[in-house]
């Protein structure tokens, strides 16, 4: 998320103190010391001084003397440094003395250029660089130059920006001169490094300066030519041999250079790793001698190395630990750039596994007030790094103290002030930071929203400049902001629309993490109302094949995010294309291989995803079943670590899996039992959505045979109490789920609680004009069951029937094609006495217990006419019908009772009974647990005797030949609709179905 947060690059790498900072642009000359970012000058040797290159005394030109003895005035015209006579003198000197020339005057000239830029407090601009390059076409380094001249020249030119490529189209002549000059310098340096030690005269300070210069070259955009890589490789052994000579400044600069080289693609060779390892003990040894800027550089370098694969060895960890107290000790002396670099570094270290020790937290706390005090001094990059750092710290568990919140608030105006100066990468990092802060509890104040709006406009303006990572970060950030309540403004919609075409254009540049984040973001956006535009569909279609191709590269988090995203996309209308199915199939085996690496949140998301995919038609393949089987045992060990939302998602997922054919395995039962106590414990922390989902899940679990344990009862009771306290916060879909769940739980929920809940919730449903067909059906089902309970308890339900009529009216012109929805509409029509707009087609099944009861009744009452599986008034078929007596007998198995207790009837059971009674039928319920004992069955036999007036002739079973197997009595409703004025009697229904003539009678519905 922070590739642009280089911390020490650009302006943030400069300082006014030339012995502090490797990227220094200040005064460069100091006698007797060849300081970093400095060039040591030496006096003109005496014409008679022994051993000092005697040939110089006869060849000194006026121009070279002028360069040696004159200091640069900051106000000096740049033209004075680019006179042709200066270069003529240098060329003449080099030509005259050939291989005896040591490059001294060339080095002094390079130093004068650096002194000019240091005095100007900026590198060369494009015009100055072009003007200088015309002069430097004949400026060539040779292998005869001494070590000091080579290091002075390369370091000075690099620091002055001579080799920096400008963003504007560069003059090919300038580029050619840059490459040629750099090539001759690197060749001579490599040659010196490969000489014997006694002849090369390589010094520690030169090694440090050269490695810094090479790091700066690649960081400024210079191409990594083979010569540059070879020069770095040639210098590294000398760094190791010179390590005892490095002063604290060198150590800081060298580690900065190593980090910067690696960050720009330098291969982590054994030589480089050894060089880094050799410096770490010297950081510890010199810990009390580093200046504030060096402390900042060191921690930045350590963070950047770790971010690029450096192993966090005990030595590495010890070095970080030794530096942290110095941050606190020097807190008053850090400049704005150093504060930004330090906070970025600490955030990056934590993101890569650094323990947040008391010393670490103390260092962060020490810096925050100074950041606030210096807020006006941060440039665009500094503001970006700081907000990114605070977001990353918060995301890794940093306590959101008042100081941290105050620091965020203080920076927001700086974002607005600097908005025109942010680079594309910084815009991406800032929006990522804003999204992450909100995700960790940051309040979305008007100032915060204003900053987001300002950044979104910059996204649209710079849309074609974002790289693959920037596109990923931006879409992720916008999705996360929307998911946390950010309003979908036109600016946000435009930014999303602007980026989507670039997903396809950049597809070959995305790494596995990008694919996971992009699909997650698109799933979140459509889940929060994003329109399925052609560009969005194309972006999803573009990404899916790469999931399959890169399947072995995803880590545990990537697998979890991808499966969640695909489930969410499907749930939001994505077709299950072959590409999507292949991607799901490719990922499922990796759930097993990565099972030990999933966090609690990822376990919850994965089970939710598998349940959602199955609910939307995903085939329950062996791989999917195996993934579920692998995940379920992970629930128990992590039970204490699940957040309230994750508990809700897990129970919803398990209920949904059971609803779609999942076996109630011991592992699933254990997972449910493990989570139930946590529902009660977390009852005050569930959102309205979670409460609705949990109650739906509880109802569905009961439907699937869940035992009503004390923990189950406590969980349901706790949730029901919270429905009333949260009633104003439920969305229509959640209300529909609540009505359905309460209805399914039937008599388990006390009638007065059902009534009070329905009074507050049903009005909300009726007042919502835009409801999905599924929500209307669920609400209608819930209202009917509440009406049934009130009706069976002889309570007034007229107020509810008005709502039922309103919901039914909304469905009159619909034609659902599944039996469950058709049943709901048929039942509502039956209850309201209205024409049924559908012709439900019921599947009929005669159970053995039902047949046993029929045979027993026939044995007792041989003359009794009994029909089975008969549909009355378009209602679901009844078990047994006594058509001569308008009596229905329902044989109730455990599935008709909550928890199978044979005492607490489910809502669907109650509704069927109430509808039959409303149609004029007497209903006798016989629980199957009474069938095994004649004494338990006797009251039912006696009740039927009393109602029919037929004396029994005996009790017990009869032979199979006495059983009625006539298919005429096992028929479904042929589609006859009830009269608007009344209901057909049982005799009329039977005769209509069997075709036997009979005198028609009607029973008024009233």
């Amino acid at each position: 998320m922070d590739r642009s947060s280089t911390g020490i690059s650009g302006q943030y790498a400069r300082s006014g103190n030339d012995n502090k900072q490797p990227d220094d642009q200040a005064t460069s000359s100091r006698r007797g010391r060849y300081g970093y970012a400095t060039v040591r000058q030496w006096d003109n040797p005496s014409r008679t001084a022994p051993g000092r290159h005697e040939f110089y005394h006869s060849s000194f030109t006026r121009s070279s003397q002028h360069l040696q003895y004159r200091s640069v005035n900051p106000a000096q015209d740049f033209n004075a440094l680019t006179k042709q006579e200066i270069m003529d003198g240098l060329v003449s000197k080099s030509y005259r003395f050939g291989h005896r020339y040591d490059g001294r005057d060339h080095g002094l000239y390079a130093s004068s250029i650096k002194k000019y830029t240091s005095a100007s407090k900026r590198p060369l601009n494009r015009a100055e660089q072009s003007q200088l390059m015309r002069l430097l076409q004949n400026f060539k380094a040779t292998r005869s130059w001494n070590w000091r001249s080579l290091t002075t020249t390369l370091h000075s030119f690099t620091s002055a920006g001579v080799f920096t490529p400008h963003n504007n189209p560069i003059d090919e002549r300038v580029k050619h001169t840059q490459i040629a000059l750099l090539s001759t310098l690197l060749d001579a340096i490599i040659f010196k490094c490969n000489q014997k030690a006694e002849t090369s005269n390589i010094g520690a300070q030169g090694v440090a300066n050269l490695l810094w210069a090479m790091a700066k070259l690649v960081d400024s955009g210079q191409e990594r030519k083979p010569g540059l890589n070879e020069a770095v490789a040639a210098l590294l052994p000398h760094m190791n041999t010179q390590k005892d000579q490095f002063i604290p400044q060198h150590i800081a600069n060298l580690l900065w250079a190593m980090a910067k080289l690696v960050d720009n693609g330098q291969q982590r060779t054994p030589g480089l790793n050894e060089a880094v390892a050799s410096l770490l003990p010297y950081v510890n040894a010199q810990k009390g001698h580093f200046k504030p800027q060096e402390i900042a550089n060191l921690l930045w370098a350590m963070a950047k190395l770790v971010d690029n694969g450096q192993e966090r060895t005990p030595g590495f960890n010890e070095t970080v630990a030794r530096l942290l107290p110095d941050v606190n000790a020097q807190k008053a002396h850090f400049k704005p750039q150093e504060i930004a670099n330090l906070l970025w570094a600490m955030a990056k270290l934590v993101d890569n596994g650094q323990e947040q020790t008391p010393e670490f937290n103390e260092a962060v706390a020490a810096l925050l007030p100074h950041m606030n005090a210096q807020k006006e001094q941060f440039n665009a990059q500094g503001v970006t790094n700081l907000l990114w750092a605070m977001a990353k710290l918060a995301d890794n568990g940093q306590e959101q103290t008042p100081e941290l919140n105050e620091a965020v608030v203080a920076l927001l105006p700086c974002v607005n002030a600097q908005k025109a100066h942010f680079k594309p990468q910084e815009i991406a990092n800032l929006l990522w930071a804003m999204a992450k802060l909100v995700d960790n509890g940051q309040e979305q104040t008007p100032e915060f929203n204003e900053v987001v709006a300002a950044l979104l406009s910059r996204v649209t303006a710079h849309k074609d400049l974002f790289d693959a990572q920037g596109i990923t970060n931006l879409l992720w950030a916008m999705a996360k902001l929307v998911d946390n309540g950010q309003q979908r403004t036109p600016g946000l919609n435009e930014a999303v629309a602007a980026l989507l075409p670039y997903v396809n254009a950049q597809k070959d540049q995305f790494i596995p993490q990008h694919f996971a984040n992009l699909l997650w973001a698109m799933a979140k956006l459509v889940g929060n109302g994003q329109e399925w535009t052609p560009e969005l569909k194309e972006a999803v279609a573009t990404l899916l094949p790469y999931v399959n191709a890169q399947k072995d590269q995803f880590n545990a988090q990537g697998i979890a995010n991808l499966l969640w995203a695909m489930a969410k996309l499907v749930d939001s209308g994505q077709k299950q294309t072959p590409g999507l199915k292949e991607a799901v199939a490719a990922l499922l085996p990796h759930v097993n291989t990565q099972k030990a690496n999933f966090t609690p949140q990822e376990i919850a998301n994965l089970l939710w995803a598998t349940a959602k995919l199955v609910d939307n038609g995903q085939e329950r393949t062996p791989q999917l079943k195996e993934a579920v089987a692998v995940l379920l045992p992970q629930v128990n060990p992590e039970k204490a670590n699940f957040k309230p939302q994750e508990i809700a998602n897990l129970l919803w997922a398990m209920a949904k899996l059971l609803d779609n054919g999942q076996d109630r395995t011991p592992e699933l039962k254990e997972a449910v039992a493990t989570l139930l106590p946590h529902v009660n414990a977390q009852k005050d922390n569930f959102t309205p959505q979670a409460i609705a989902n949990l109650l739906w899940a509880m109802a569905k679990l009961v439907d699937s045979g869940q035992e009503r344990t004390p923990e189950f009862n406590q969980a349901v009771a706790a949730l029901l109490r919270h429905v009333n306290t949260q009633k104003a916060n439920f969305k229509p879909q959640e209300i529909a789920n609540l009505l359905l769940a309460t209805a399914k739980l039937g008599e388990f929920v006390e009638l007065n609680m059902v009534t009070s809940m329905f009074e507050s919730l049903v009005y909300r449903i009726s007042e919502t004009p835009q409801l999905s067909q599924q929500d209307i059906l669920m609400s209608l089902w819930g209202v009917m069951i509440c009406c049934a309970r009130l009706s069976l308890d002889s309570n007034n339900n007229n107020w509810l029937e008005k709502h039922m009529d309103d919901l039914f009216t909304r469905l009159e012109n619909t034609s659902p094609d599944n039996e469950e929805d058709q049943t709901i509409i048929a039942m509502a029509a039956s209850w309201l006495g209205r024409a049924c707009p559908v012709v439900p087609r019921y599947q009929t099944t005669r159970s053995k217990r039902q047949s046993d009861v029929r045979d027993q009744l026939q044995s007792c009452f041989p003359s009794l006419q009994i029909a089975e599986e008969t549909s009355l008034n378009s209602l679901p078929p009844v078990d047994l019908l006594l058509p001569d007596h308008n009596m229905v007998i329902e044989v109730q198995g455990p599935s008709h009772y909550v928890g199978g207790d044979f005492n607490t009837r489910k809502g669907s059971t109650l509704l069927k009974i109430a509808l039959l009674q409303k149609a004029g039928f007497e209903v006798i319920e016989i629980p199957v647990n009474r069938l095994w004992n004649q004494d338990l069955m006797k009251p039912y036999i006696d009740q039927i005797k009393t109602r029919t007036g037929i004396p029994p002739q005996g009790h017990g079973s009869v032979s199979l030949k006495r059983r009625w197997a006539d298919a005429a009595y096992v028929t479904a409703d042929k589609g006859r609709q009830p009269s608007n004025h009344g209901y057909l009697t049982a005799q009329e229904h039977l005769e209509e179905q069997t075709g036997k003539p009979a005198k028609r009678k009607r029973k008024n519905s009233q």
Side-chain angles (χ1 to χ4, degrees):
M1 299 292 175
D2 58 289
R3 299 287 296 177
S4 67
S5 304
T6 52
I8 198 170
S9 63
Q11 290 182 0
Y12 269 74
R14 300 189 194 98
S15 165
N17 185 336
D18 46 67
N19 281 324
K20 290 181 181 178
Q21 172 72 21
D23 210 1
D24 174 76
Q25 299 266 341
T27 308
S28 62
S29 177
R30 180 171 297 183
R31 181 173 297 280
R33 180 184 178 95
Y34 187 32
Y36 206 40
T38 70
V39 178
R40 184 170 73 179
Q41 296 211 151
W42 51 88
D43 293 334
N44 180 30
S46 168
R47 294 174 187 267
T48 58
R52 297 291 290 175
H53 303 288
E54 299 88 330
F55 60 86
Y56 272 146
H57 75 275
S58 62
S59 61
F60 244 64
T61 65
R62 183 177 178 277
S63 62
S64 61
Q65 290 178 34
H66 177 73
L67 284 171
Q68 281 182 299
Y69 292 108
R70 180 180 54 77
S71 63
V72 176
N73 186 323
Q76 174 186 349
D77 187 353
F78 181 70
N79 293 330
L81 294 172
T82 55
K83 291 181 178 179
Q84 187 60 44
E85 64 181 88
I86 296 175
M87 188 53 58
D88 289 343
L90 293 174
V91 172
S92 175
K93 185 67 63 66
S94 179
Y95 178 77
R96 183 185 298 272
F97 295 102
H99 68 276
R100 293 177 298 158
Y101 177 57
D102 63 3
R104 174 182 315 194
D105 287 356
H106 283 70
L108 288 173
Y109 179 72
S111 178
S112 70
I113 300 298
K114 181 185 181 299
K115 286 162 75 176
Y116 167 77
T117 58
S118 296
S120 304
K121 297 183 179 179
R122 61 167 177 78
L124 296 174
N125 60 38
R126 187 165 178 256
E128 290 170 339
Q129 185 191 66
S130 181
Q131 184 180 349
L132 180 64
M133 282 302 171
R134 283 195 291 271
L135 199 68
L136 294 182
Q137 290 182 77
N138 296 317
F139 190 106
K140 293 181 174 58
T142 68
R143 293 182 175 185
S144 67
W145 285 18
N146 63 29
W147 183 249
R148 179 178 294 155
S149 298
L150 288 170
T151 56
T152 299
T153 303
L154 183 60
H155 178 273
S156 296
F157 278 164
T158 301
S159 184
V162 172
F163 297 115
T164 302
H166 285 279
N167 290 333
N168 296 325
I170 193 167
D171 188 331
E172 283 301 317
R173 175 186 53 79
V174 172
K175 185 176 180 181
H176 176 77
T177 304
Q178 283 179 329
I179 293 171
L181 175 55
L182 185 57
S183 179
T184 62
L185 284 166
L186 293 175
D187 177 74
I189 289 165
I190 294 166
F191 177 77
K192 286 289 179 191
C193 288
N194 291 331
Q195 282 186 314
K196 294 181 180 179
E198 58 270 19
T199 59
S200 62
N201 197 28
I202 293 174
Q205 199 164 13
V207 172
N209 281 3
L210 283 174
L211 280 167
W212 174 86
M214 292 176 194
K216 185 65 181 171
L217 281 170
V218 295
D219 192 49
S220 64
Q222 190 62 241
E223 292 182 38
R224 295 184 61 87
K225 298 292 184 182
L228 188 61
N229 294 334
E230 190 179 344
V232 171
L235 278 168
L236 289 176
H238 293 282
M239 192 186 103
N240 200 16
T241 57
Q242 297 279 355
K243 60 190 175 187
D244 296 333
Q245 309 303 316
F246 293 128
I247 61 174
Q249 184 189 5
H250 297 158
I251 295 167
N253 292 346
L254 281 166
L255 273 170
W256 180 91
M258 299 288 108
K260 187 57 76 174
L261 285 166
V262 168
D263 196 44
N264 281 285
Q266 178 73 31
Q267 190 178 356
R268 295 184 56 83
T269 61
L272 190 140
N273 292 336
E274 184 183 351
V276 171
S278 70
L279 287 172
L280 294 178
Y282 290 90
V283 177
N284 292 338
Q286 298 274 10
K287 64 180 181 183
H289 303 289
F290 292 112
K291 298 182 180 74
Q293 193 172 24
E294 293 160 2
I295 294 167
N297 288 353
L298 281 166
L299 278 168
W300 180 91
M302 307 289 275
K304 187 55 81 172
L305 285 167
V306 166
D307 198 42
N308 282 287
Q310 172 73 31
E311 187 182 356
R312 296 183 68 249
T313 61
F316 186 97
N317 293 337
E318 184 184 355
T319 300
V320 173
R322 292 287 182 89
L323 288 169
L324 288 173
D326 291 336
V327 174
N328 196 17
Q330 297 276 10
K331 60 188 175 186
H333 304 293
F334 291 116
K335 297 173 184 175
Q337 70 182 71
E338 295 154 8
I339 293 170
N341 291 349
L342 281 166
L343 281 167
W344 180 92
M346 289 193 267
K348 184 55 77 174
L349 285 167
V350 166
D351 199 41
N352 283 288
Q354 172 71 32
E355 187 182 356
Q356 288 178 291
T357 60
E359 292 79 11
F360 183 95
N361 293 333
E362 190 177 345
V364 172
L367 288 170
L368 289 175
H370 292 279
M371 188 219 83
N372 197 9
Q374 304 212 43
K375 60 189 176 187
E376 306 296 339
Q377 308 303 316
F378 294 111
N379 66 5
Q381 187 183 17
V383 172
T384 304
N385 288 356
L386 283 166
L387 276 169
W388 181 92
M390 285 183 273
K392 185 57 78 172
L393 286 167
D395 197 45
N396 281 289
Q398 178 76 26
E399 187 182 356
Q400 286 203 315
T401 60
E403 290 79 12
L404 190 140
N405 292 334
E406 187 181 347
V408 172
V409 171
L411 284 171
L412 292 177
C414 300
V415 177
N416 262 336
Q418 295 276 4
K419 61 187 176 187
H421 304 294
F422 292 119
K423 298 173 184 173
Q425 212 164 10
E426 292 163 358
I427 295 168
N429 286 353
L430 277 168
L431 269 170
W432 180 93
M434 306 291 274
K436 205 38 118 166
L437 285 166
V438 166
D439 201 39
N440 283 287
Q442 177 72 32
E443 187 183 357
Q444 288 177 290
T445 60
E447 293 78 12
F448 186 97
N449 292 335
E450 185 182 352
V451 168
V452 170
L455 290 170
L456 288 172
S457 66
R458 307 302 295 170
V459 171
T460 305
H462 287 91
K463 60 188 178 185
D464 56 337
L465 301 176
F466 295 108
D467 61 10
Q469 187 176 11
I471 292 166
T472 305
N473 288 359
L474 283 166
L475 283 168
W476 181 93
M478 288 186 270
K480 182 57 79 173
L481 284 167
V482 168
D483 198 43
N484 281 289
Q486 176 74 31
Q487 190 178 357
R488 293 185 56 83
T489 60
L492 188 140
N493 293 335
E494 285 174 20
V496 171
L499 289 173
L500 286 174
Y502 293 94
V503 173
N504 194 21
Q506 295 272 11
K507 60 189 176 186
D508 295 330
Q509 308 303 317
F510 294 122
I511 61 174
Q513 184 184 3
H514 296 161
F515 290 116
N517 288 355
L518 280 167
L519 279 166
W520 180 94
M522 292 182 206
K524 265 298 174 194
L525 286 167
V526 296
N528 282 288
Q530 174 71 32
E531 186 184 353
W532 273 100
T533 60
E535 292 79 11
L536 182 67
K537 292 176 183 176
E538 184 182 355
V540 171
T542 294
L543 293 170
L544 288 174
Y546 287 87
V547 174
N548 197 10
Q550 305 238 19
K551 59 191 175 188
D552 297 327
Q553 309 301 317
F554 294 109
N555 61 13
Q557 184 183 20
I559 292 165
N561 284 357
L562 280 166
L563 280 168
W564 180 92
M566 286 186 267
K568 191 68 174 176
L569 286 167
V570 168
D571 197 45
S572 298
Q574 168 74 28
K575 291 182 180 178
Q576 287 206 333
T577 60
L580 188 138
K581 291 178 181 177
E582 286 175 17
V584 171
L587 289 170
L588 286 173
H590 294 278
V591 174
N592 193 13
T593 57
Q594 294 275 7
K595 61 186 176 186
N597 302 320
F598 292 120
T599 64
Q601 183 184 11
E602 290 158 5
I603 293 167
N605 286 355
L606 281 166
L607 277 167
W608 181 93
T610 54
K612 186 58 79 173
L613 284 167
V614 167
D615 197 44
N616 281 288
Q618 174 74 30
E619 188 183 354
R620 294 183 67 246
T621 60
Q623 291 82 5
L624 190 139
K625 292 177 183 177
E626 185 181 357
V628 172
V630 161
L631 290 167
L632 287 173
Q634 307 294 320
V635 173
N636 195 20
E638 296 288 354
K639 59 188 175 187
N641 300 316
F642 291 115
K643 296 174 185 173
Q645 183 66 40
E646 292 156 9
I647 293 168
N649 286 355
L650 281 166
L651 282 168
W652 180 92
M654 287 185 260
K656 185 56 78 173
L657 286 167
L658 285 170
D659 196 38
N660 283 288
Q662 172 74 29
D663 293 333
R664 293 192 78 246
T665 60
E667 291 79 11
L668 189 141
K669 292 177 184 177
E670 184 183 356
V672 171
T674 294
L675 291 170
L676 288 175
H678 292 278
V679 174
N680 198 19
Q682 297 273 9
K683 58 180 181 265
D684 297 325
N685 300 317
F686 291 116
T687 62
Q689 182 185 24
I691 292 169
N693 286 353
L694 278 167
L695 276 170
W696 180 92
M698 300 295 216
K700 187 56 73 174
L701 286 167
V702 164
D703 260 357
S704 302
Q706 171 69 33
E707 185 184 356
R708 279 176 50 201
T709 61
E711 290 80 9
F712 180 91
N713 295 343
Q714 289 169 8
V716 173
L719 291 168
L720 288 170
R721 285 192 294 271
H722 277 75
V723 172
N724 274 330
T725 59
Q726 295 271 10
K727 59 189 176 186
N729 301 319
F730 290 109
K731 297 175 183 176
Q733 184 181 15
E734 294 159 4
I735 294 173
N737 281 341
L738 281 170
L739 297 178
L740 178 66
T742 310
K744 279 181 173 292
L745 289 168
E747 292 175 322
F748 178 75
V749 186
E750 294 179 4
L751 184 58
N752 60 350
M753 183 175 283
V754 172
T755 306
S756 64
M757 282 172 53
F758 275 56
E759 281 179 341
S760 60
L761 295 176
V762 173
Y763 283 106
R764 293 270 310 281
I765 285 286
S766 295
E767 292 167 0
T768 305
Q770 299 299 323
L771 281 175
S772 70
Q773 182 175 321
Q774 193 60 36
D775 289 342
I776 296 171
L777 284 163
M778 288 195 296
S779 301
L780 181 58
W781 175 258
V783 169
M784 280 196 292
I785 290 176
C786 186
C787 280
R789 287 200 65 184
L790 291 169
S791 172
L792 292 172
D793 283 78
S794 303
N795 288 317
N796 176 27
N797 61 7
N798 291 339
W799 61 277
L800 263 181
E801 285 192 355
K802 293 177 182 177
H803 294 292
M804 189 195 304
D805 188 75
D806 172 67
L807 291 167
F808 179 80
T809 301
R810 296 201 207 185
L811 293 170
E812 274 188 317
N813 296 322
T814 62
S815 300
D817 56 1
N818 68 76
E819 183 182 318
E820 186 177 349
D821 294 348
Q822 290 174 354
T823 301
I824 293 172
I825 293 173
M827 286 181 163
S830 176
W831 189 287
L832 295 167
R834 294 174 60 173
C836 185
V838 297
V839 181
R841 300 185 181 280
Y842 300 116
Q843 294 182 356
T844 57
T845 304
R846 285 190 295 179
S847 69
K848 182 179 184 304
R849 291 165 179 171
Q850 173 184 327
S851 297
D852 288 344
V853 171
R854 177 192 167 284
D855 290 346
Q856 192 168 2
L857 290 176
Q858 202 71 65
S859 175
C860 293
F861 307 101
S863 63
L864 187 65
Q865 188 177 9
I866 305 173
E868 293 185 75
E869 293 297 310
T870 304
S871 178
L872 307 171
N873 293 323
S874 296
L875 298 177
V878 298
D879 292 340
L880 301 175
L881 170 67
L882 309 185
D884 294 333
H885 306 282
N886 272 15
M887 184 180 295
V888 169
I889 298 172
E890 288 286 277
V891 182
Q892 312 288 45
S895 63
H896 290 268
Y897 301 90
V898 180
D901 65 357
F902 290 104
N903 292 311
T904 310
R905 291 176 293 184
K906 287 185 180 179
S908 54
T909 306
L910 295 170
L911 178 58
K912 187 174 180 181
I913 294 166
L915 280 165
L916 289 167
Q917 288 183 354
K918 189 174 177 64
F921 295 95
E922 183 177 357
V923 182
I924 296 176
E925 299 176 77
I926 304 178
V928 294
N929 65 341
R930 306 295 178 93
L931 299 181
W932 321 125
N933 188 305
Q934 291 297 318
D935 291 335
L936 295 177
M937 273 296 292
K938 187 176 185 303
Y940 299 103
I941 299 296
D942 292 343
Q943 187 179 2
I944 293 169
K945 170 194 170 184
T946 302
R947 298 292 189 272
T948 61
I950 302 174
Q953 297 184 8
H955 298 301
S957 300
V958 295
S959 64
L960 289 176
K961 69 179 182 178
R962 298 281 306 278
R963 294 185 179 181
W964 287 13
D966 191 342
Y969 293 97
V970 189
T971 59
D973 191 342
K974 300 302 181 183
R976 180 179 178 86
Q977 296 180 356
S979 165
N980 288 332
H981 305 290
Y983 295 89
L984 297 179
T985 64
Q987 183 65 41
E988 288 176 306
H989 274 287
L990 182 63
E991 291 171 352
E992 186 175 86
Q993 291 175 2
T994 58
K996 297 178 180 178
K999 183 180 179 180
R1000 289 203 167 278
K1001 298 179 181 179
R1002 293 192 181 274
K1003 182 178 177 67
N1004 190 280
S1005 62
Q1006 299 301 317

